[in-house]
Amino acid sequence: MNSAKYLFSLLAGLLVYVFLSVIYGQNGVFALRQLESQKRIISAHMQEVQNINDDLNLERTAIRDDADVIAAYARKMDYIFDDEKIVKIKGLVVSEPAMYDTGTVLKSVPVEFLSEWYCKCAGLVVGILLFVALLLFDISYFPPKKKRFHTETVEGIPIYDVAQV
């Protein structure tokens, strides 16, 4: 029996564990791709919210500093200057106040991955199965040899170590 075969089963189990961990583990390639796609979505959403913020800041600056804009908003709320007169016509639809788009809520999606426990168990199972398969292969093709007890005979005159008197 060659012990290198059995070390191969240990190596195969270790390789399965490493492969599953690197590809499908918590910090693996599959999880990294999911995180990168979420990053792209969040970046696009953040840019959209930044554009809304820029528009609102521009409108705030216009309301704060520009007298014509202030007068337009005051007229929408039925305020008039001292020398102006207002004429109200019944039957016309009153304009609704402006609704500002504040963006949409973006929820993060949990990343899917194989747990470390699963990766270790899969590597252990593959290693044990390969070990058993190699052991059965060795037993079936190379059955253990029966040792025969062989006694050696010496021809000639036997000499014994006997203490002399």
Side-chain angles (χ1 to χ4, degrees), residues 35-47 106:
L35 289 173
E36 285 175 350
S37 69
Q38 284 186 18
K39 180 182 173 185
R40 282 192 299 274
I41 291 169
I42 288 172
S43 295
H45 185 71
M46 191 175 79
Q47 184 61 39
L106 185 64

Side-chain angles (χ1 to χ4, degrees), residues 140-158:
S140 65
Y141 283 108
F142 305 108
K145 296 178 182 177
K146 295 182 181 178
K147 293 185 178 182
R148 296 181 194 163
F149 291 104
H150 182 35
T151 58
E152 293 184 20
T153 58
V154 178
E155 308 251 339
I157 301 173

Side-chain angles (χ1 to χ4, degrees), residues 5-157:
K5 290 179 184 178
Y6 303 117
L7 288 177
F8 175 72
S9 66
L10 178 68
L11 178 67
L14 183 65
L15 286 176
V16 166
Y17 164 69
V18 169
F19 175 77
L20 288 176
S21 293
V22 168
I23 301 298
Y24 299 107
Q26 184 175 6
N27 298 325
V29 175
F30 188 64
L32 181 67
R33 286 185 181 167
Q34 290 178 27
L35 289 173
E36 285 175 350
S37 69
Q38 284 186 18
K39 180 182 173 185
R40 282 192 299 274
I41 291 169
I42 288 172
S43 295
H45 185 71
M46 191 175 79
Q47 184 61 39
E48 187 179 309
V49 170
Q50 184 64 38
N51 291 341
I52 292 169
N53 187 34
D54 292 342
D55 291 342
L56 290 174
N57 280 335
L58 183 65
E59 191 171 335
R60 185 190 76 168
T61 304
I63 290 173
R64 187 181 61 208
D65 298 336
D66 193 1
D68 293 333
V69 174
I70 294 171
Y73 274 104
R75 284 190 189 97
K76 281 184 182 179
M77 295 189 301
D78 294 333
Y79 289 102
I80 57 171
F81 287 110
D82 290 335
D83 58 344
E84 287 184 332
K85 294 183 181 178
I86 211 168
V87 176
K88 289 191 177 184
I89 302 172
K90 289 187 178 184
L92 290 180
V93 178
V94 179
S95 63
E96 295 182 14
M99 295 297 291
Y100 297 104
D101 182 23
T102 57
T104 57
V105 176
L106 185 64
K107 294 183 179 180
S108 64
V109 179
V111 177
E112 296 176 0
F113 59 90
L114 290 179
S115 68
E116 190 72 17
W117 178 84
Y118 180 78
C119 295
K120 287 178 182 177
C121 286
L124 184 64
V125 166
V126 167
I128 290 172
L129 288 177
L130 194 58
F131 177 77
V132 168
L134 288 174
L135 187 64
L136 291 175
F137 176 78
D138 278 349
I139 290 174
S140 65
Y141 283 108
F142 305 108
K145 296 178 182 177
K146 295 182 181 178
K147 293 185 178 182
R148 296 181 194 163
F149 291 104
H150 182 35
T151 58
E152 293 184 20
T153 58
V154 178
E155 308 251 339
I157 301 173

